[in-house]
Amino acid sequence: MSFRNAPLAVIHDVDKDTLFTPEIRAEIDRHVAKYPPEWKQSAVMPALTLVQDHNGGWLSRELMDQVAAYLDMPEVSVYEVATFYGMYDLEPVGRHKVCVCNSISCMLGGSEELMQHIEHKYNVAPGETTADGKFTFKEFECLGACRHAPAVMVDKTYHECVTPESFDKLIKKLD
Amino acid sequence: MVKDQNTVCFRTMHLKEKVRHTLDSYLSVGGYGQWKRVLNERPDPATLIEELKLSALRGRGGAGFPTGLKWSFMPRSAPGQKYIVCNSDEGEPGTCKDRDILRWNPHQLIEGMAIAGYCIGATVGYNYIRGEFYEPIARFDEALGEAYAAGLLGRDLLGSGVDFDLYTHLGAGAYICGEETALLESIEGKKGQPRFKPPFPAQAGLYGQPTTINNTESLASVPVILEKGGQWFLDQGRPNNGGPKLFSVTGHVNAPNNFEVPLGTPFWELLEMAGGVKDGKALKAVIPGGSSVPVVPGNIMMNTDMDYDSIAKAGSMLGSGAVIVIAEGTCMVRVLANLAHFYAHESCGQCTPCREGTGWLSRVLHRILHGHGRPSDLDLLDNVAGRIGGRTICALGDAAAMPVQSFLQHYRHEFEHLIEHGRPMEQAA
C-alpha cells in the first residue's frame, strides 16, 4: 500500500554549525519543525529561498551543496528542486528582479506592449540583466493578479495595472 | 443586478480594508462559531460530511468534484497519521480569487481546514501557497499566529481532546504544483511531478499517508455551509451546483474583478457587473473557466448561465471560475499562441506526449503568428493536440490540447487567413 518511502538520508561529513549564519539556520529549523522528523527534506524549498535571498538573489552550486548537507539530502536531490522551480536563479542576477506576467489576462491587458517597451528602453531581453546591473528582467507565467492586469512583481512586491509610464517610474525609484 | 453577493468566502468584504483580515473581524461575522461547536459537541464526522454532500459543494479548484464525497473516501478511523492539504497554488491563467481569500479572509480558510481535519481524522494540515504570493503568505501566517494565540489551533483545543496543527508550505514557481499529487511531491521536497493514480491520495497521499487535498475556496466555504446548512447552500445555486462561487472576470472588460455570485447567474449579468466589454466593443469570445478550458463564442455565452452543467452544455467547463473576456478585434491566433507558450513552459517534462507535444504546439503557433505558417499546419496542430489528450499522467496535457482544438473549431478562418496572407485578420488586440 505504501506509495513513497521515507527519503534517502545522507549524512554529510560537515559541521552544520559552520553552514550559513545562525539566523538562517534558525529560520530553516523553523521550517524543518513543520514536518515529520524523517522528512527534513520537506524544508528544501523554503531553505533554498532563504539562502538565495541572502546571496543577492541567486544560488551557487556551493550553496545548494550546503543546503543538501544541512538537510541530510543527496546533492542531486537539491539540484533537481533548484532547477525545476522558476523562482530559483542559478546564475548571478541584477540588484532587483523584475518579473512581468505575460499570461492571457495580462496579455489582453497590454503585457506584450509593456515587455516590448522594457526590451527597447532598457536594452534587455527576458532572462537578461541590464548593463548597469540594476535589474534582471524575467517573463513570468500567471502571477494570479489577473484582475489588475498587467501585473509586474518587483522583488517581493506586486504592482498592478502597470503601463510603460508607470513602469519607468517604478524603475526610477529602485537603487 | 444579482442580489446575493459575497455571502460565503467574501463575507468579510464589507468590513474596513485595513482590518478585514483580522481575527476580531472574522469573529464579528460569526467566525469560528462552527469550529467551536465542533470542539464542544464533538459531532459524528459522518453527519458533517452528509451536510456537505447535501450542499452540493463542488471542488472550486477546477475539477468540480463533490467535496463531501471526496471527504467520505478517507479512512478516518484507521490508525496512522492523516493529512488535510489546502491547494493555494493559484496559477491557472485568469484566476485570481484564492489570493483575495488569503488576503481578506484568511481565518475562514483556517476554520474550514480545521473542520476538514476533524471530519477526515487529520490532526495536521498544510496550506500550500505559491511562492510569489508574498503578501497573501504574510496575511495567512499572521492569521495562523492569531488562531494559535486564541487557542483555536494546537493541542487539546478548548479541552476537547481534539488536536489540530496547521502550517504554511511555500511553493517556488511551478504551475504544475496545482495538480494535487504534484503538490504532494512538492511538499515532500521534490520536483513537482504528478503521481500515477491509483493509489489516490485518500489511500496513499502525503508521506504515503491518507490525505485529502481541497482548493482554498472549497475549504473556506465549509464554515458557512455548516452554519447555514447544506440546504441553504444548495438553494443559493442550482441542483447539483450548490452555492455561490467566486468568478474572476478579467480580460477585455471595463471593471475586471472577483465576484461571488450564485451558481446559475446568467453570463450577461456577470459581464454587466464587470462593466461590460471594454470600450463598448462587441463580445467576441469567452474562456469561461481558466485558460485550460475550451473557448466559447460570445453569442453562445450570452445565452449561457454560470454553473457547471450549463457551461458543459455550451461545450466548455466552469473550471476555476476564471472568466476571460475577449473583445471583437482580437486576433485569436495571438491568444492561442500565448496559451500554448504557457503550457509548453509549464509542462513538467515527465510524459513524452505533453513534454514534446506542448513544444510543438507552441512553435507551430508561433510561426503561424509571425507569418511563416504552412497550409498543412492546421492539420498538424489538430494531430499533435489529439495525440496529447488522454495520454498523460495528469490533466496538463488535456489542458494544453483542449484550447487548441476549440480555437481551431470556432476560429479556423483566422488561422487560415494568417497562413495565406501572412498577417492577421484582426489587427488590434
Side-chain angles (χ1 to χ4, degrees), chain A residues 1 3 34-35 39 41-42 45 84-87 102 105 108 112 141-144 146-147 158 160, chain B residues 96 99-100 126 130 132-133 168-169 172-173 186-188 190 192 195 207 250 252 257 334 338 342 346:
Chain A
M1 196 67 179
F3 186 74
K34 297 175 178 178
Y35 309 102
W39 282 93
Q41 75 165 42
S42 280
M45 285 166 61
F84 186 84
Y85 295 93
M87 287 175 74
N102 193 29
S105 297
L108 295 172
E112 286 187 345
E141 303 304 346
C142 189
L143 284 169
C146 320
R147 72 191 173 97
Y158 274 33
E160 297 169 288
Chain B
C96 53
R99 174 172 175 238
D100 281 0
Y126 294 101
R130 63 179 296 180
E132 294 90 340
F133 276 180
T168 309
H169 183 94
S186 187
I187 299 181
E188 292 184 0
K190 301 170 193 161
R195 296 175 181 173
Y207 307 128
T250 69
H252 291 149
N257 210 339
R334 190 176 162 207
N338 178 283
F342 174 82
E346 296 298 336

Side-chain angles (χ1 to χ4, degrees), chain B residues 280-336:
Chain B
K281 285 188 184 165
L283 177 68
K284 180 169 187 174
V286 178
I287 305 177
S291 68
S292 304
V293 309
V295 66
V296 180
N299 58 336
I300 299 179
M301 268 324 280
M302 288 307 271
N303 295 309
T304 298
D305 296 340
M306 300 304 291
D307 62 71
Y308 295 90
D309 299 332
S310 302
I311 294 182
K313 269 187 213 139
S316 190
M317 293 188 288
L318 184 108
S320 61
V323 181
I324 303 161
V325 176
I326 299 170
E328 205 60 69
T330 308
C331 170
M332 297 304 270
V333 183
R334 190 176 162 207
V335 174
L336 185 61

Side-chain angles (χ1 to χ4, degrees), chain B residues 194-409:
Chain B
R195 296 175 181 173
F196 273 112
K197 286 173 268 190
F200 289 92
Q203 289 111 45
L206 183 61
Y207 307 128
Q209 300 299 121
T211 303
T212 292
I213 303 130
N214 289 120
N215 168 257
T216 312
E217 186 186 348
S218 309
L219 285 164
S221 299
V222 169
V224 178
I225 293 173
L226 293 188
E227 180 189 317
K228 299 191 176 174
Q231 189 63 46
W232 173 85
F233 192 80
L234 178 61
D235 292 343
Q236 292 278 299
R238 286 190 175 167
N240 195 35
N241 294 269
K245 159 101 188 74
L246 286 166
F247 290 101
S248 306
V249 186
T250 69
H252 291 149
V253 289
N254 286 312
N257 210 339
N258 287 314
F259 302 97
E260 189 173 53
V261 296
L263 282 171
T265 299
F267 168 76
W268 66 264
E269 279 197 61
L270 195 58
L271 182 63
E272 213 164 74
M273 289 169 79
V277 181
K278 205 171 182 180
D279 305 329
K281 285 188 184 165
L283 177 68
K284 180 169 187 174
V286 178
I287 305 177
S291 68
S292 304
V293 309
V295 66
V296 180
N299 58 336
I300 299 179
M301 268 324 280
M302 288 307 271
N303 295 309
T304 298
D305 296 340
M306 300 304 291
D307 62 71
Y308 295 90
D309 299 332
S310 302
I311 294 182
K313 269 187 213 139
S316 190
M317 293 188 288
L318 184 108
S320 61
V323 181
I324 303 161
V325 176
I326 299 170
E328 205 60 69
T330 308
C331 170
M332 297 304 270
V333 183
R334 190 176 162 207
V335 174
L336 185 61
N338 178 283
L339 295 178
H341 174 81
F342 174 82
Y343 291 105
H345 186 269
E346 296 298 336
S347 172
C348 81
Q350 188 172 211
C351 311
T352 307
C354 173
R355 180 187 64 241
E356 303 300 324
T358 53
W360 273 75
L361 293 176
S362 178
R363 288 190 299 274
V364 172
L365 282 161
H366 188 266
R367 82 177 174 214
I368 295 175
L369 181 63
H370 291 85
H372 306 296
R374 302 164 195 169
S376 57
D377 276 353
L378 298 187
D379 287 341
L380 180 62
L381 286 174
D382 244 342
N383 192 325
V384 173
R387 283 163 193 268
I388 301 173
R391 290 176 167 81
T392 53
I393 290 175
C394 83
L396 189 141
D398 302 312
M402 279 191 293
V404 172
Q405 289 158 332
S406 65
F407 272 70
L408 287 179
Q409 182 193 338

Side-chain angles (χ1 to χ4, degrees), chain B residues 70-83:
Chain B
K70 196 186 235 186
W71 289 11
S72 70
F73 294 152
M74 285 290 281
R76 64 172 184 273
S77 42
Q81 183 65 54
K82 295 171 237 16
Y83 295 101

